[in-house]
Amino acid sequence: MKSAEIRDAFLNYFASKQHKIMPSSSLVPGNDPTLLFTNAGMVQFKDVFLGEDRRDYNRAVSSQRCVRAGGKHNDLENVGYTARHHTFFEMLGNFSFGDYFKRDAIAFAWQFLTQVLELPKERLWVTVHISDDEAAEIWINEIGVDPARLSRLDEDNFWQMGDTGPCGPCTEIFWDMAKIFPGGLPAAKTMILIAISRFGTWCLCSLSATVVAR
């Protein structure tokens, strides 16, 4: 499939799940002094995550243009060293604002990859945060993932936009490319399960509503 076909399939799949298709926001955030460039699809929804803004929808999907050439999410030094790092790219993302959470987020991602894109399940691996027993149970007991293909990680499965702002554990699906790139397991889908916000190095506060990003 061409990239445009994958983009359209992603947007149309989540639109069929009552997600509003949102256009890509500016590469330069208009009201966020903490970021020089938009580095993730969730940036345009940051105020919604924090409860500072309300929309007339609680599900969204987008294809966001991103730049990662500085700050926390800096991929510049990895360009050329790996087959998957870029500084400018499109990020496909689905978002829930106080609506669905882990169970549906995991089911949607798995269905899109295995039924819409028809990726073989035996080439997919899953990771969860070491503290997230609920997500692990959903993957193994409801989705049917082999426990041998599920790994628990610490910092690699805890996502945050920067030193402050929304953050939380994440669960990821990886596509096994070992036959092409030895040791290669690029992420096929990441689900960030946001229920807290960071206001400093040690200050983590609960948000008023749970959020799913990407």
Side-chain angles (χ1 to χ4, degrees), residues 28-29 32-40 43 46 161-162:
V28 179
D32 191 341
T34 69
L35 292 172
L36 180 60
F37 298 114
T38 295
N39 59 7
V43 170
K46 184 176 177 181
M161 181 182 290

Side-chain angles (χ1 to χ4, degrees), residues 186-198:
K189 186 76 173 79
T190 303
M191 287 144 284
I192 305 165
L193 309 167
I194 301 173
I196 50 181
S197 181
R198 184 182 294 278

Side-chain angles (χ1 to χ4, degrees), residues 8-157:
D8 288 344
F10 185 87
L11 295 175
N12 291 334
Y13 170 79
F14 281 98
S16 74
K17 303 297 182 183
Q18 292 76 54
H19 290 65
K20 183 174 182 178
I21 299 178
M22 300 297 296
S24 176
S25 62
S26 170
L27 278 176
V28 179
N31 59 347
D32 191 341
T34 69
L35 292 172
L36 180 60
F37 298 114
T38 295
N39 59 7
M42 65 164 290
V43 170
Q44 66 170 302
F45 304 112
K46 184 176 177 181
D47 289 344
V48 182
F49 297 163
L50 294 174
E52 298 172 356
D53 186 20
R54 295 181 66 86
R55 307 288 175 93
D56 60 358
Y57 52 87
N58 55 16
R59 297 184 179 192
V61 61
S62 69
S63 177
Q64 174 65 49
R65 292 182 292 272
C66 300
V67 169
R68 291 189 173 181
K72 175 183 180 294
H73 296 288
N74 179 15
D75 290 339
L76 186 60
E77 294 181 356
N78 291 317
V79 173
Y81 288 93
T82 76
R84 61 184 186 274
H85 283 94
H86 310 278
T87 53
F88 175 71
F89 59 94
E90 284 183 283
M91 180 179 289
L92 302 176
N94 58 290
F95 308 88
S96 167
F97 314 119
D99 187 11
Y100 64 83
F101 201 43
K102 297 180 186 181
R103 179 165 282 101
D104 286 338
I106 289 171
F108 287 156
W110 190 254
Q111 184 180 63
F112 175 72
L113 293 176
T114 62
Q115 296 184 24
V116 178
L117 298 187
E118 299 182 342
L119 298 181
K121 298 176 183 179
E122 63 272 13
R123 293 279 298 276
L124 298 175
W125 294 71
V126 173
T127 64
V128 299
H129 190 258
I130 55 173
S131 67
D132 200 344
D133 294 334
E134 181 184 3
E137 182 176 333
I138 293 170
W139 278 117
I140 295 170
N141 297 331
E142 299 183 23
I143 303 300
V145 168
D146 184 344
R149 302 180 76 83
L150 183 146
S151 298
R152 291 172 177 263
L153 303 176
D154 191 1
E155 292 182 359
D156 286 340
N157 272 94

